[in-house]
Amino acid sequence: MTALQRIMHVEDDPSIQQVAKIALEAVGGFTVHTCSSGQQALDDYPAFAPQLILLDVMMPGMDGPTTLQQLRQQFDLSKVPAVFMTAKVQSSEVESYKALGAADVVVKPFDPMALSGQIRQIWQDFHQA
Amino acid sequence: MINQGVNRTTQFLAWLGSFLLILLFGYLSWQGYQQTPSPQLLLRWLVAFLASELILLLLVREIDCLFQRLLQQAQQAEQLQQQLASRQNNNYQQALSTLNNIATSFDPDWRKQLRQALQVAADYLQLPIAIVSKIEQQDYQVLVHSAPEGLLQDGSHFALGNTYCSLTLARGTVLAIDQMSQSQHAQHPCFKTFALESYIGSAIQVDGKPFGTVSFSSATARATPFSQLECDFVSLLARWIGSSIERRQYLEAQVDAAQRLKKIASQLPGMVFQFQLKPDGSSSFPYCSEGIRDIYQLTPEQVKDDASAVFALIHPDDLAAVQDSVAASAASLSLWKTDYRVRRQDGEYIWVTGRSMPEQQPDGSVLWHGFISDLTERKRVERLKDEFVSTVSHELRTPLTAISGAIGLLHGQVFGALPEQARQMTELAQANVKKLQLLINDLLDMDKLIAGKMQFDMQPQPLLPIIQAALRDNQSYAQQYQVSYQLDADPTDIWVRVDNMRLQQVLTNLLSNAAKFSPPQAVVKVVLQQQDDTALIRVIDSGCGISDDFKPYIFSKFSQADSSDSKTKGGTGLGLAISQQLMHKMQGNIGFHSEQGKGSEFYLLLPVERITEHSEEIL
């Protein structure tokens, strides 16, 4: 299993983009590429070639699940886990997101100090599965 | 008859006298002839006899005449008396018929009716000036009058002292004066001012209190004195006037009340009504305000005798519920209160809310008095409010996520160590962000519950592990308040059908409340029991308890007992409202007992699932 380094974060809110970037880069030591929309994610994917995609569910225009669907259609994501970020969810909802192809779900608001650990855990689980 | 008797008697006296005279003179002439027999003597006696006979006949005739005259006089006297009696009888009849005419006359204009009565009575009494007065203190007001034109006006005022009525009032009974100038009241100012010679009047009582007088007067003196009949007449008339004024005031009060109701009802934003349900099942709206046009677009007349037009407009989905609620209200004579939809002419539906109180009627029907108002606007505002809360909560979440993240990074000393005071500040900010998050989560939960969008993952499962998990999760929270939990479960194998997470949410709410409101070192007891088919979870604290004032609102949204205080205990005021909703959605219930100063007990009730049904799952 290669170490996780490149994470693509798709999120429309600039403040959350910044917080997540710092949380993942400064705390977790990852390299984060931030996309402000689903379309930008599609455009930037080949150049950045992320190892993991962190997707906000609710976004104007193309939402998280649609973005994931489009990415899957255009690129091979078999080795790239996608993680949804969404508000407090019920267990049944987590299952529905997983059915859409998400490796896991991170609940908003997230703890910035714990986020990197959470992502790393998901990365490990994905490769062990 | 008497005449013939007298005739016969005088004839008899004449014959008897003649016979006695013949005997007397026969005897005397016989005796004289015996002493001195001379035909001359006999002739003398014969002349004497004839003279006596003549005198006798004259006497008898005179007596007869006398008798005849006496008889005639007696007859005349009798006739006179009869005439007098019949005249008096006529008077009585006239008085009675006058009073009767007055009493039976009716005119919607009460002044006109009184005036007619005065005219009729004035004619009867033959006194041209008739007045009904109203007397207040020293003010004499002509209420209604009947008099030759130009003499008086209704509504004029006089000083009471300047009227004879002051005497009538003082007397209390009927006052009748035939000729004022010859009476003891000749010096009365009224006589001096108006020179009224004859007067008859009586006080009028209304509702048992002096009201005024009715009086009749004339500038000429009476030819004959006032009779007792006339006094009685005036007295009766006064009573009739008094009672007709009473009746009029009563009617006016009724009309007044009806108009008042109509005016007030017309300004109400809804309809006020009487609804009657008869034993045969038919119904009607005996009274209905004009507001029915706004609610049902019907007129009061359309539903006065038959309410079916109203029921025809109720939304088909609501009709059964409305009918059931009416039947239930009639059966238990309890308040009817229902919200339902009404179809408008344009096919749209409006929401209305109705409430009314039933009363059993002697005829077996039930009569409601109540109110129906348009709820559409309120429903719209409620929906707007819910949407607003929902939108705001959702919109708040994104910035809050950013704030929480940013503070978390600062507090996590990602950018280097913070000075002690800065660290305290970030800690404080973090704690408050957490509170804000809890509030928003509660708001969103409530929003979902109201909208019916909250999903429940109902699974049969043992109850005890859920409680244990909730206790574990809340342990650290309770430690903040130096409070500990103590679980007492018996039996331990109760199964229920719930959404694990939702029940934990409810338990967390109760456990955190109990800890929050308990004194330091206190123990919060958590008891699990089974009562018949119901599982009972009790959370018992020894805190400050709940005041009686607050008890009715404990499960209301945004209610906190110390809302006016500085809210030292924190919390959103939504927890118990959400808990109640959650318990209801899981076919359970929530309740409490509390005594101020001694503590509170909150309990949850859930239907028990039979273990046998799940024995396979256990295996």
Side-chain angles (χ1 to χ4, degrees):
Chain A
M1 185 183 75
T2 51
L4 173 63
Q5 189 58 44
R6 293 182 310 282
I7 298 174
M8 187 160 89
H9 183 209
V10 189
E11 160 71 57
D12 62 298
D13 187 84
S15 304
I16 296 177
Q17 286 172 4
Q18 223 177 323
V19 169
K21 194 175 170 69
I22 293 169
L24 292 169
E25 291 188 338
V27 180
F30 303 115
T31 305
V32 176
H33 178 77
T34 305
C35 301
S36 294
S37 68
Q39 188 55 52
Q40 199 195 337
L42 289 170
D43 295 344
D44 294 359
Y45 184 87
F48 183 63
Q51 291 167 287
L52 182 142
I53 307 168
L54 194 55
L55 276 159
D56 185 29
V57 172
M58 298 262 277
M59 286 188 292
M62 203 188 295
D63 67 5
T66 314
T67 307
L68 180 58
Q69 204 184 350
Q70 298 271 332
L71 283 168
R72 277 177 186 283
Q73 276 174 13
Q74 296 182 24
F75 312 105
D76 174 18
L77 262 64
S78 58
K79 294 277 188 303
V80 184
V83 178
F84 278 134
M85 270 188 130
T86 187
K88 193 180 162 226
V89 283
Q90 288 177 262
S91 49
S92 58
E93 286 176 73
V94 174
E95 290 308 313
S96 72
Y97 287 126
K98 283 185 176 169
L100 286 171
D104 213 330
V105 176
V106 170
V107 175
K108 268 197 207 175
F110 53 87
D111 178 349
M113 300 310 291
L115 182 64
S116 296
Q118 244 177 309
I119 295 292
R120 196 163 277 128
Q121 186 64 47
I122 293 168
W123 174 258
Q124 277 174 13
D125 290 349
F126 179 77
H127 285 283
Q128 277 165 17
Chain B
M1 282 287 285
I2 298 170
N3 233 349
Q4 281 174 350
V6 171
N7 249 342
R8 265 204 305 277
T9 313
T10 49
Q11 270 171 16
F12 172 73
L13 281 175
W15 282 111
L16 183 70
S18 303
F19 178 67
L20 286 175
L21 280 175
I22 288 171
L23 278 183
L24 178 65
F25 281 92
Y27 173 71
L28 286 174
S29 59
W30 181 68
Q31 272 204 333
Y33 189 75
Q34 275 186 334
Q35 282 173 3
T36 50
S38 123
Q40 246 180 338
L41 188 83
L42 281 177
L43 190 70
R44 253 201 322 267
W45 279 111
L46 183 68
V47 171
F49 163 72
L50 285 174
S52 303
E53 180 66 24
L54 187 69
I55 290 167
L56 175 75
L57 285 175
L58 280 171
L59 200 68
V60 165
R61 191 175 166 275
E62 205 51 38
I63 287 170
D64 189 35
C65 279
L66 190 71
F67 264 109
Q68 292 291 348
R69 239 190 348 262
L70 279 173
L71 261 176
Q72 222 168 8
Q73 273 181 358
Q75 273 175 351
Q76 272 176 353
E78 199 179 350
Q79 267 177 3
L80 210 67
Q81 208 151 12
Q82 272 177 357
Q83 273 177 3
L84 211 66
S86 95
R87 197 183 308 149
Q88 196 134 20
N89 202 13
N90 271 348
N91 280 349
Y92 269 104
Q93 274 183 356
Q94 201 190 338
L96 279 176
S97 94
T98 307
L99 278 174
N100 189 44
N101 285 343
I102 288 170
T104 52
S105 70
F106 180 78
D107 195 297
D109 180 355
W110 66 278
R111 282 176 187 276
K112 216 163 144 189
Q113 189 180 7
L114 273 187
R115 199 183 318 283
Q116 279 167 357
L118 287 180
Q119 270 162 4
V120 173
D123 284 350
Y124 167 73
L125 293 167
Q126 302 202 315
L127 295 168
I129 304 166
I131 298 172
V132 170
S133 71
K134 183 177 182 175
I135 296 170
E136 280 170 324
Q137 311 271 315
Q138 290 307 305
D139 177 53
Y140 174 99
Q141 186 195 351
V142 178
L143 206 58
V144 179
H145 81 284
S146 162
E149 204 144 331
L151 201 64
L152 266 173
Q153 269 189 329
D154 282 0
S156 352
H157 292 263
F158 297 99
L160 177 63
N162 285 344
T163 65
Y164 293 144
C165 291
S166 55
L167 301 171
T168 309
L169 276 184
R171 194 183 169 106
T173 57
V174 174
L175 174 70
I177 296 159
D178 308 318
Q179 191 174 5
M180 198 62 76
S181 54
Q182 300 301 311
S183 78
Q184 52 173 324
H185 306 299
Q187 297 305 311
H188 195 279
C190 183
F191 183 62
K192 290 189 168 165
T193 317
F194 303 107
L196 294 169
E197 275 284 13
S198 48
Y199 170 93
I200 185 164
S202 173
I204 297 171
Q205 300 259 326
V206 171
D207 290 327
K209 283 177 236 148
F211 174 85
T213 57
V214 54
S215 65
F216 300 86
S217 51
S218 167
T220 53
R222 290 278 289 191
T224 51
F226 284 110
S227 65
Q228 186 57 46
L229 177 64
E230 282 164 324
C231 291
D232 291 347
F233 174 87
V234 172
S235 170
L236 276 174
L237 182 68
R239 267 197 250 169
W240 174 81
I241 291 171
S243 65
S244 68
I245 289 171
E246 270 170 32
R247 208 165 47 236
R248 190 65 59 172
Q249 284 180 346
Y250 175 70
L251 279 176
E252 271 172 10
Q254 276 195 325
V255 169
D256 211 41
Q259 282 197 331
R260 196 184 315 146
L261 174 65
K262 196 173 173 178
K263 280 180 192 166
I264 293 170
S266 73
Q267 294 306 312
L268 283 175
M271 61 181 265
V272 287
F273 64 89
Q274 277 183 318
F275 175 73
Q276 189 170 30
L277 182 64
K278 297 209 177 105
D280 65 4
S282 66
S283 58
S284 61
F285 288 89
Y287 169 81
C288 195
S289 71
E290 289 292 321
I292 191 171
R293 294 173 196 273
D294 301 332
I295 303 291
Y296 292 107
Q297 294 176 309
L298 295 170
T299 63
E301 292 72 33
Q302 282 175 295
V303 296
K304 196 170 172 54
D305 301 314
D306 185 3
S308 51
V310 160
F311 286 100
L313 290 172
I314 295 175
H315 194 290
D317 294 351
D318 299 344
L319 183 59
V322 171
Q323 283 170 332
D324 290 350
S325 63
V326 169
S329 169
S332 59
L333 291 180
S334 59
L335 180 75
W336 173 78
K337 193 169 181 298
T338 311
D339 293 355
Y340 55 96
R341 285 160 290 176
V342 172
R343 194 178 68 247
R344 309 285 287 180
Q345 275 161 9
D346 58 11
E348 295 282 310
Y349 281 92
I350 57 165
W351 272 101
V352 301
T353 182
R355 59 174 294 152
S356 60
M357 204 62 200
E359 286 167 11
Q360 187 77 50
Q361 299 297 298
D363 65 356
S365 68
V366 179
L367 187 66
W368 284 263
H369 289 82
F371 180 68
I372 294 174
S373 61
D374 191 337
L375 205 61
T376 316
E377 184 60 19
R378 213 178 83 197
K379 288 262 180 195
R380 200 180 66 82
V381 170
E382 267 173 26
R383 202 175 56 241
L384 273 178
K385 186 201 73 190
D386 290 343
E387 281 171 9
F388 174 75
V389 169
S390 172
T391 309
V392 166
S393 312
H394 276 108
E395 292 301 321
L396 278 176
R397 215 157 44 174
T398 303
L400 198 60
T401 302
I403 294 169
S404 146
I407 293 169
L409 289 171
L410 273 180
H411 190 66
Q413 318 221 355
V414 174
F415 312 108
L418 292 174
E420 178 54 21
Q421 278 179 325
R423 204 193 56 79
Q424 278 176 11
M425 287 301 109
T426 52
E427 192 172 314
L428 185 140
Q430 208 168 27
N432 280 285
V433 165
K434 195 150 272 166
K435 273 189 199 169
L436 210 50
Q437 280 167 2
L438 287 175
L439 169 63
I440 289 171
N441 285 342
D442 277 357
L443 280 173
L444 288 169
D445 274 352
M446 205 65 221
D447 178 49
K448 275 190 196 161
L449 282 165
I450 289 169
K453 283 183 194 157
M454 187 173 279
Q455 287 170 353
F456 286 83
D457 183 17
M458 299 288 279
Q459 298 293 338
Q461 52 198 307
L463 183 51
L464 189 56
I466 304 176
I467 298 173
Q468 285 167 333
L471 286 171
R472 222 173 18 247
D473 290 352
N474 284 281
Q475 207 71 55
S476 62
Y477 181 82
Q479 276 162 8
Q480 289 178 34
Y481 296 94
Q482 297 163 38
V483 172
S484 59
Y485 297 120
Q486 181 194 317
L487 176 64
D488 176 10
D490 179 51
T492 54
D493 57 348
I494 303 173
W495 280 54
V496 289
R497 186 185 185 83
V498 291
D499 180 326
N500 182 350
M501 296 304 293
R502 295 298 168 198
L503 184 58
Q504 281 214 34
Q505 189 179 346
V506 174
L507 283 166
T508 295
N509 189 254
L510 298 189
L511 291 172
S512 59
N513 276 350
K516 200 157 60 176
F517 293 106
S518 286
Q521 313 306 330
V523 174
V524 171
K525 279 203 269 185
V526 180
V527 182
L528 173 59
Q529 290 172 323
Q530 183 168 351
Q531 286 182 349
D532 301 324
D533 290 338
T534 307
L536 173 65
I537 308 161
R538 302 163 66 191
V539 178
I540 305 159
D541 70 50
S542 49
C544 54
I546 298 156
S547 73
D548 288 342
D549 292 345
F550 186 63
K551 281 177 182 172
Y553 308 108
I554 192 118
F555 293 114
S556 305
K557 278 186 265 178
F558 300 110
S559 57
Q560 275 188 312
D562 68 341
S563 57
S564 58
D565 300 337
S566 53
K567 286 201 175 186
T568 48
K569 300 295 185 187
T572 62
L574 276 170
L576 284 173
I578 291 171
S579 297
Q580 189 186 40
Q581 292 282 333
L582 291 174
M583 288 309 290
H584 286 171
K585 299 275 183 198
M586 293 190 288
Q587 278 72 53
N589 213 339
I590 184 169
F592 71 100
H593 312 290
S594 181
E595 205 175 324
Q596 205 162 10
K598 293 199 174 169
S600 308
E601 172 185 335
F602 279 81
Y603 57 86
L604 303 176
L605 300 168
L606 281 164
V608 171
E609 284 278 300
R610 297 209 174 276
I611 299 172
T612 48
E613 292 170 23
H614 311 292
S615 48
E616 288 171 26
E617 291 169 40
I618 296 169
L619 292 169

